[in-house]
Amino acid sequence: MSKTKYTAAIIGTGRIGFTLGFDKKREQPASHTMALQNNRRIHLIAGCDTDRSRLDQWASYVGCPSCSSETAHLFATVNPDILVISVNEDSHLKVALEAVNSKPKLIILEKPVALNMKEGGELKFASELRKVPILVNHERRFSEDYKIAKSYMSRIGDIQTINARLDSGLYVYNPEKEASGEYSLLHDGTHLVDIVMYLLEGNEIPNEPVLRDLKLTSVYYDKKNPALVRNANIHCRSDSCNDINLFFSGRSRFFGFEVEVIGTEGRFKIGNGIFEFYTRKESKLYTGFYSLLPDTKIKAPKKTRYFSNMVKNAVDYLDGKEPLASTLQTGLNTLQVLEEIKKFL
C-alpha cells in the first residue's frame, strides 16, 4: 500500500471551496477543504482567494501559513501535487490556464469546465500540451447512490424512457448573464446533463456526447422580458434509448433534482432525497400479469461519500490504481450539449 503524501492547494475559498463544510444539513464533507483534510494521503499546504477576509477565515481554520490573494504569488511560492480550482464560472478559464502552466500532477476543477466550448477548447489544448490531467467535480459521478443506479441499469431490461428534471427559481437562460454563467442551465443543468450521460455511458468515457438529435419540445419565456427563459423542455436520444426528456424549470419556488429511468423489466428514480427502485414481479392484483414492485434488496447508502470519493479517486489516480472517473472530456461533453440547448432558446 502506497504511503506517499500528496500536497494540495486551493484557489477559491468560498462556498464549494470551504464554507459549505459548515452546513449542518449537508452530508459532510461538503467542500473541497474538508474533503482534502479528511484524506490522510493529502497535506493541504496553501490557499488563495481575492477576498482577504474570507481567506483569513480559511487560513485560521486550516492552520495554513501559506496564503495568497493573487494566483501569481501562489504559483511562485508553492508547487502542490494537486491544485483545486473552485472560483466563479467567469474566472474558470483564466485561473485554469494559469494552473495548467504551473504543471501540477493533477488539477481538480469545479464544474462547469468553462462558460462555453471555445473556452473549453482552449483549456483542453493547454492541458494536453502541458500534459496536466484534469478531474472535473461533477460530484454525482462519485456518489454511492448514483453508482447503485448505474449498476441497476442492466437489470431493468431495454431502456424505454429517461426523464430528468431540474427545478429552481433561477432563470433557465439569461443572455445578459452569458459572461458570468449565472443561469440554471449552466450552473445546475450541467449536473443534470452529466448524470444522464454517466448513466448511459459504457465502460469507457466517450469522446463525444452520448446524447444527440436534440429538439426543443416547449419553452416558456418571462412575460415581462421575453429574452429570459423560465422553462425549457428538450427531447433527445442515445444509442440505448430513443426517448430522453430533459426538463428545466426556472419558475419553481423550490430546488429539485431527479432522474427517472424506465426499462422493460423495471424502473428507478433517483435525485435529491429520492431513492426508489422497482422490479418486475408477479402481480398481486391480476392473475397472469406482472407488476413493478419495490425492490427491497436495494438499500440506500447511509452516506453517499460524493466528495470523499472524488478526492479518493484523485489519490488513486496519482497512485496509478484507477483512471479519473470524471475528466475534462466528460465535462466538455456536457458543455457541448448545453450549448446545443442554448441555440434553441
Side-chain angles (χ1 to χ4, degrees):
M1 180 179 177
S2 176
K3 295 183 179 180
T4 303
K5 273 218 169 188
Y6 298 108
T7 56
I10 293 180
I11 302 175
T13 58
R15 282 169 53 81
I16 196 68
F18 177 45
T19 60
L20 289 182
F22 300 105
D23 187 336
K24 294 181 179 180
K25 290 186 177 181
R26 291 176 186 257
E27 178 189 316
Q28 295 295 337
S31 72
H32 288 284
T33 296
M34 283 63 168
L36 292 170
Q37 283 190 314
N38 283 6
N39 192 296
R40 295 180 180 179
R41 299 284 308 286
I42 293 177
H43 178 42
L44 190 53
I45 63 170
C48 180
D49 200 300
T50 55
D51 186 327
R52 190 71 216 190
S53 62
R54 192 163 62 189
L55 184 60
D56 288 343
Q57 180 188 11
W58 177 88
S60 175
Y61 177 84
V62 175
C64 182
S66 183
C67 291
S68 306
S69 296
E70 297 181 1
T71 51
H73 180 264
L74 177 79
F75 297 134
T77 54
V78 296
N79 185 28
D81 299 313
I82 301 170
L83 193 53
V84 175
I85 301 174
S86 52
V87 298
N88 292 338
E89 286 92 337
D90 55 356
S91 299
H92 271 201
L93 181 64
K94 176 181 178 296
V95 175
L97 290 177
E98 291 176 343
V100 167
N101 288 332
S102 74
K103 300 187 71 172
K105 292 180 179 178
L106 178 67
I107 289 175
I108 297 176
L109 177 64
E110 263 304 312
K111 60 76 194 170
V113 295
L115 287 173
N116 51 60
M117 283 297 290
K118 180 179 181 298
E119 290 189 0
E122 290 182 50
L123 180 55
K124 181 180 180 180
F125 177 81
S127 67
E128 291 178 348
L129 180 67
R130 296 289 188 182
K131 295 182 171 55
V132 177
I134 297 177
L135 185 162
V136 178
N137 188 30
H138 273 127
E139 60 194 38
R140 288 169 178 80
R141 286 179 175 259
F142 303 97
S143 187
E144 296 296 337
D145 50 351
Y146 283 92
K147 289 182 181 180
I148 291 172
K150 185 172 178 64
S151 68
Y152 207 75
M153 293 283 286
S154 62
R155 299 170 59 178
I156 60 176
D158 295 332
I159 306 303
Q160 299 184 92
T161 299
I162 297 177
N163 297 315
R165 185 178 185 97
L166 169 67
D167 289 278
S168 78
L170 186 65
Y171 290 116
V172 173
Y173 180 62
N174 182 351
E176 295 181 359
K177 299 294 184 179
E178 189 69 47
S180 65
E182 296 177 59
Y183 53 91
S184 70
L185 182 66
L186 186 68
H187 188 70
D188 292 302
T190 182
H191 282 304
L192 194 73
V193 170
D194 181 74
I195 202 59
V196 170
M197 293 204 290
Y198 165 76
L199 292 172
L200 291 167
E201 284 171 5
N203 295 325
E204 296 184 1
I205 292 173
N207 290 323
E208 298 289 337
V210 298
L211 302 181
R212 58 179 182 274
D213 297 338
L214 278 73
K215 297 178 181 178
L216 180 69
T217 56
S218 68
V219 63
Y220 180 88
Y221 297 100
D222 188 86
K223 293 180 179 179
K224 295 182 179 180
N225 186 347
L228 305 178
V229 179
R230 280 296 194 180
N231 279 28
N233 298 338
I234 304 294
H235 184 273
C236 54
R237 68 184 186 89
S238 70
D239 285 341
S240 58
C241 181
N242 287 321
D243 185 26
I244 301 173
N245 303 287
L246 308 174
F247 303 91
F248 302 92
S249 171
R251 301 172 64 198
S252 304
R253 297 179 64 186
F254 61 90
F255 184 80
F257 188 104
E258 62 183 56
V259 180
E260 177 187 44
V261 181
I262 305 170
T264 54
E265 302 281 333
R267 63 182 282 267
F268 66 80
K269 181 183 287 189
I270 187 169
N272 292 9
I274 303 171
F275 190 82
E276 303 172 3
F277 290 76
Y278 301 87
T279 188
R280 175 180 177 270
K281 293 182 180 179
E282 188 173 341
S283 178
K284 296 179 180 180
L285 303 174
Y286 312 106
T287 302
F289 283 80
Y290 286 83
S291 298
L292 290 184
L293 299 176
D295 191 335
T296 57
K297 294 180 180 179
I298 304 299
K299 305 294 184 182
K302 292 182 179 180
K303 279 202 168 187
T304 69
R305 304 185 186 281
Y306 66 100
F307 236 122
S308 298
N309 284 346
M310 185 274 290
V311 172
K312 182 179 183 301
N313 181 233
V315 170
D316 288 342
Y317 172 78
L318 293 175
D319 284 346
K321 294 179 180 178
E322 289 185 4
L324 295 178
S326 181
T327 67
L328 180 58
Q329 186 59 56
T330 61
L332 290 173
N333 290 347
T334 296
L335 193 59
Q336 185 174 330
V337 172
L338 296 176
E339 284 213 342
E340 288 186 38
I341 292 173
K342 278 200 299 183
K343 292 177 183 177
F344 298 126
L345 305 179

